[in-house]
């Protein structure tokens, strides 16, 4: 196993627990869909590998529980910091309401978050909530919104699945930690976008299909 990994929002390697403590930047495995927006501590959403990603601890603290979206989407008059943190990728940004991932990770984030919307609809008793994406995440019941839907769809189109993402997806789906029915592959979300979220898709996508 490697002593280093690439953080989801950072531009440089982070050390894992296998690396010497005095070398590199510490990383941790964090949820893309945050606890404060609905992920519980006992349901399958808590350990769903599709949205568990390595993250630089300091960058993750800067991201906090902000909605995924570009500066100006919410709190348009608020100061926008870019990069979002000194250890974050140069093209990240944040304000008090939103966090923008780096361009080469936006599609990965989008597909993982879209997957979570499809996978978790509150049908598993009290252990999970009904995750819901819209362009008004602050109005989602139980606080279970995480991002701006139209921007996620845009990111998905601009940053399609690459080999690395597909390989990771396949390994998640063959993991002993993953139930077969959970494997609505996160990369397969792209095949469903035009059927499920057509009203929120960017106009250029609709006109070209």
């Amino acid at each position: 196993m490697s002593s280093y990994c690439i953080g989801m929002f950072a531009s440089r390697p982070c050390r894992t627990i296998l690396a010497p403590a005095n070398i590199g930047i510490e990383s941790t495995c964090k949820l893309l869909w945050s606890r404060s927006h609905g992920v519980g501590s006992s349901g399958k959403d808590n350990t769903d590998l599709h949205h568990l990603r390595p993250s630089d601890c300091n960058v993750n603290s800067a991201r906090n529980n902000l909605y995924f979206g570009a500066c100006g989407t919410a709190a348009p008059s608020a100061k926008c910091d870019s990069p979002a943190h000194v250890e974050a990728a140069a093209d990240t940004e944040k304000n008090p309401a939103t966090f923008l991932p780096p361009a080469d990770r936006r599609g990965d984030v989008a597909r993982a978050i879209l997957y979570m919307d499809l996978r978790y609809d509150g049908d598993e008793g009290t252990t999970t909530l009904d995750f819901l994406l819209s362009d008004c995440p602050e109005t989602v019941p139980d606080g279970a919104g995480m991002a701006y839907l139209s921007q996620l769809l845009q990111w998905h189109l601009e940053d399609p699945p690459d080999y690395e993402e597909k390989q990771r997806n396949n390994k998640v789906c063959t993991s002993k930690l993953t139930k077969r029915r959970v494997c609505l592959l996160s990369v397969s979300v792209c095949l469903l976008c035009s059927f499920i979220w057509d009203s929120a898709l960017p106009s250029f996508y609709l006109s070209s299909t």
Side-chain angles (χ1 to χ4, degrees):
M1 295 178 66
S2 174
S3 297
Y4 299 91
C5 63
I6 301 297
M8 192 67 178
F9 310 122
S11 58
R12 50 186 172 176
C14 304
R15 65 176 173 83
T16 69
I17 58 173
L18 300 177
N22 63 336
I23 297 177
I25 303 159
E26 185 178 0
S27 68
T28 185
C29 204
K30 289 296 183 179
L31 304 168
L32 290 180
W33 198 300
S34 65
R35 293 197 185 285
S36 57
H37 290 300
V39 174
S41 59
S42 59
K44 294 176 182 177
D45 54 348
N46 183 48
T47 55
D48 194 316
L49 296 176
H50 283 304
H51 83 124
L52 275 167
R53 302 297 176 98
S55 179
D56 176 305
C57 289
N58 295 326
V59 176
N60 192 72
S61 293
R63 176 211 154 193
N64 199 2
N65 64 345
L66 301 176
Y67 296 122
F68 286 117
C71 279
T73 307
S77 61
K79 179 178 179 289
C80 181
D81 295 321
S82 184
H85 185 274
V86 66
E87 295 168 10
D91 55 349
T92 59
E93 60 183 41
K94 61 167 284 193
N95 68 12
T98 57
F99 180 93
L100 181 69
D104 63 350
R105 296 286 180 164
R106 287 172 200 162
D108 304 57
V109 170
R111 285 178 286 276
I113 296 298
L114 290 166
Y115 156 83
M116 293 293 285
D117 178 324
L118 292 179
R119 170 64 181 85
Y120 297 102
D121 57 5
D123 68 347
E124 297 178 7
T126 59
T127 59
T128 60
L129 296 178
D130 182 7
F131 295 161
L132 182 65
L133 292 171
S134 76
D135 275 342
C136 299
E138 65 279 358
T139 67
V140 174
D142 301 312
M146 188 65 243
Y148 293 87
L149 175 58
S150 60
Q151 291 190 41
L152 293 182
L153 295 171
Q154 184 78 37
W155 298 352
H156 150 66
L157 296 174
E158 294 174 346
D159 177 32
D162 57 17
Y163 176 79
E164 178 185 355
E165 184 181 356
K166 291 175 182 178
Q167 285 294 98
R168 182 188 189 281
N169 193 92
N170 291 338
K171 289 179 180 179
V172 167
C173 282
T174 56
S175 167
K176 293 179 181 179
L177 298 176
T178 305
K179 299 293 185 182
R180 285 286 181 183
R181 77 182 191 89
V182 176
C183 267
L184 169 68
L185 308 185
S186 62
V187 296
S188 296
V189 166
C190 59
L191 301 177
L192 303 173
C193 284
S194 60
F195 297 98
I196 300 173
W197 295 291
D198 62 309
S199 62
L201 279 165
S203 58
F204 78 85
Y205 178 86
L206 294 174
S207 63
S208 63
T209 56

